[in-house]
C-alpha cells in the first residue's frame, strides 16, 4: 500500500489551527471596545455609585491645612509673578453687586450637577453610540482629579491667610458652596486643585459644541465653561490655575477614551452599530 495519509499523533498539534484561541480573545476584546446600547438601570446605578465613591474618597483625603495654605500662598505668588493675579479684583468687583454674586453662589452650588446630568441624559437618548465613550471621558477625568486632591492639598482663595478675599457664601448667607458655612464639615475644603467645576463644565461644553445641531445651542455650550470660570473666581472658590488643572484632567480623560475606542468619542457613530449574526459590529451612518 502507499504512504499513510493519517496525521501522526505527535503531529496533530501542528495540524490544528493555532490562531483560533488568539482570534477568539481578539474578538472578545473588540466587543468590549465596541459601542453598545446603554441600559438605563445600569447607567443610573453606575453614575450614583461612582459619584458616591468619588465624594467618599475626596472627603476622606486628609485635610492638610498647613500644607494647603502653603500651596495657596505659593500659587498666589506665582500668579503675581506671571502678572495674572486677578482673582481678588474679580471677587471684590462682583461681590459689590448683590444680586449677581448671590446668583453666582447658587450657580456654583447647583449647575455643575444639573447640566452634567442633563448632558448625560441627552447623550443617552440622542447619541447612544457615543454615550459610553463620552461617559468614559467624564469618569476618567474625575478619577484622575482624586490623585490631585491627595497629593496636592490646596486651600481656596477665600481661605487664604491675608489674601483679603471675600467668602461670598458667608457674607451673603447663601447656600453656594459645600465648603462654606454650616456645610463645610461635609466637604474637604482643601481639595481645590484641580477644579472639577471646570473639568465637568468643559466636558459639557465640548460635547454640546461637537454634537448639537442648532448653532445657538453650540454657542451656549462654549459659553458655559467660560461662565463657570468667572463664577469659580468671583466666589473665591478657586484660583485660575485650578482651572488649568481641570483642563489637564479632561485632556487625560479624552486620551483614555481615545486609546480604548481607537478614536475620539465624537467621531463614533451616533447610533449603536448593528451586529451581524455571530459576527462583529457592522458600521452604521453617523
Amino acid at each position: 500500500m502507499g504512504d499513510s495519509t493519517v496525521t501522526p499523533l505527535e503531529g496533530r498539534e501542528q495540524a490544528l489551527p493555532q490562531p483560533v484561541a488568539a482570534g477568539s480573545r481578539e474578538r472578545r476584546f473588540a466587543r468590549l471596545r465596541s459601542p453598545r446600547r446603554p441600559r438605563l438601570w445600569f447607567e443610573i446605578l453606575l453614575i450614583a455609585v461612582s459619584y458616591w465613591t468619588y465624594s467618599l474618597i475626596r472627603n476622606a483625603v486628609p485635610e492638610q491645612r498647613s500644607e494647603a495654605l502653603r500651596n495657596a500662598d505659593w500659587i498666589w505668588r506665582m500668579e503675581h509673578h506671571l502678572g495674572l493675579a486677578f482673582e481678588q479684583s474679580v471677587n471684590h468687583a462682583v461681590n459689590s453687586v448683590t444680586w449677581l454674586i448671590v446668583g453666582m453662589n447658587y450657580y456654583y452650588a447647583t449647575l455643575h450637577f444639573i447640566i452634567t446630568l442633563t448632558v448625560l441624559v441627552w447623550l443617552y437618548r440622542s447619541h447612544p453610540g457615543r454615550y459610553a465613550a463620552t461617559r468614559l471621558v467624564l469618569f476618567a477625568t474625575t478619577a484622575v482629579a482624586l490623585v490631585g486632591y491627595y497629593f496636592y492639598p490646596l486651600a481656596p482663595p477665600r481661605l487664604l491667610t491675608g489674601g483679603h478675599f471675600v467668602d461670598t457664601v458667608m457674607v451673603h448667607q447663601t447656600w453656594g458652596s459645600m465648603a462654606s458655612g454650616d456645610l463645610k464639615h461635609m466637604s474637604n475644603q482643601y481639595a481645590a486643585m484641580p477644579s472639577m467645576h471646570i473639568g465637568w463644565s468643559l466636558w459639557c461644553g465640548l460635547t454640546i459644541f461637537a454634537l448639537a445641531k442648532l448653532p445657538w445651542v453650540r454657542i451656549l455650550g462654549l459659553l458655559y465653561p467660560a461662565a463657570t470660570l468667572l463664577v469659580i473666581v468671583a466666589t473665591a472658590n478657586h484660583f485660575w490655575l485650578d482651572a488649568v488643572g481641570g483642563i489637564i484632567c479632561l485632556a487625560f480623560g479624552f486620551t483614555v477614551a481615545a486609546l480604548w475606542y481607537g478614536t475620539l468619542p465624537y467621531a463614533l457613530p451616533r447610533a449603536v452599530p448593528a451586529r451581524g449574526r455571530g459576527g462583529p459590529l457592522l458600521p452604521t451612518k453617523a
Side-chain angles (χ1 to χ4, degrees), residues 241-261:
L241 279 174
D242 300 343
V244 174
I247 294 171
I248 292 173
C249 289
L250 182 63
F252 172 83
F254 273 109
T255 301
V256 169
L259 290 174
W260 181 254
Y261 287 96

Side-chain angles (χ1 to χ4, degrees), residues 57-73:
I57 295 174
R58 181 181 186 272
N59 296 335
V61 173
E63 293 195 4
Q64 301 167 327
R65 182 176 184 275
S66 298
E67 185 178 355
L69 290 172
R70 284 197 301 271
N71 289 336
D73 285 333

Side-chain angles (χ1 to χ4, degrees), residues 39-113:
R39 292 168 291 180
L40 181 59
W41 68 267
F42 176 79
E43 293 303 324
I44 293 174
L45 181 63
L46 179 63
I47 292 170
V49 171
S50 298
Y51 183 73
W52 176 79
T53 304
Y54 162 75
S55 299
L56 186 67
I57 295 174
R58 181 181 186 272
N59 296 335
V61 173
E63 293 195 4
Q64 301 167 327
R65 182 176 184 275
S66 298
E67 185 178 355
L69 290 172
R70 284 197 301 271
N71 289 336
D73 285 333
W74 184 87
I75 282 188
W76 191 226
R77 290 196 304 271
M78 173 61 68
E79 291 187 353
H80 275 90
H81 178 72
L82 295 172
L84 294 171
F86 53 77
E87 289 93 339
Q88 188 182 81
S89 299
V90 174
N91 173 236
H92 285 225
V94 177
N95 184 67
S96 64
V97 184
T98 302
W99 65 267
L100 181 58
I101 195 59
V102 168
M104 286 188 174
N105 284 341
Y106 288 120
Y107 180 117
Y108 184 86
T110 61
L111 282 195
H112 66 297
F113 293 114

Side-chain angles (χ1 to χ4, degrees), residues 62-241:
E63 293 195 4
Q64 301 167 327
R65 182 176 184 275
S66 298
E67 185 178 355
L69 290 172
R70 284 197 301 271
N71 289 336
D73 285 333
W74 184 87
I75 282 188
W76 191 226
R77 290 196 304 271
M78 173 61 68
E79 291 187 353
H80 275 90
H81 178 72
L82 295 172
L84 294 171
F86 53 77
E87 289 93 339
Q88 188 182 81
S89 299
V90 174
N91 173 236
H92 285 225
V94 177
N95 184 67
S96 64
V97 184
T98 302
W99 65 267
L100 181 58
I101 195 59
V102 168
M104 286 188 174
N105 284 341
Y106 288 120
Y107 180 117
Y108 184 86
T110 61
L111 282 195
H112 66 297
F113 293 114
I114 294 171
I115 294 184
T116 302
L117 287 174
T118 300
V119 172
L120 280 169
V121 171
W122 172 60
L123 284 169
Y124 177 88
R125 290 176 59 87
S126 301
H127 298 268
R130 298 161 179 155
Y131 174 84
T134 314
R135 187 241 291 140
L136 177 60
V137 174
L138 183 65
F139 278 31
T141 298
T142 305
V144 76
L146 293 172
V147 178
Y149 300 149
Y150 187 88
F151 288 103
Y152 195 77
L154 180 68
R158 58 188 172 74
L159 296 181
L160 188 63
T161 304
H164 306 294
F165 286 90
V166 178
D167 189 333
T168 60
V169 174
M170 292 291 292
V171 169
H172 298 281
Q173 296 297 302
T174 57
W175 184 71
S177 171
M178 290 292 289
S180 292
D182 295 334
L183 298 173
K184 65 184 178 181
H185 300 297
M186 297 175 61
S187 179
N188 185 352
Q189 297 190 81
Y190 305 115
M193 172 66 86
S195 169
M196 280 299 92
H197 275 75
I198 292 299
W200 290 8
S201 66
L202 188 56
W203 174 86
C204 291
L206 291 175
T207 301
I208 293 170
F209 180 78
L211 301 180
K213 293 182 178 179
L214 297 176
W216 65 269
V217 175
R218 300 179 71 198
I219 292 173
L220 285 179
L222 294 181
L223 290 177
Y224 174 51
T228 301
L229 176 60
L230 175 60
V231 166
I232 67 172
V233 170
T235 56
N237 279 294
H238 288 283
F239 297 99
W240 67 264
L241 279 174

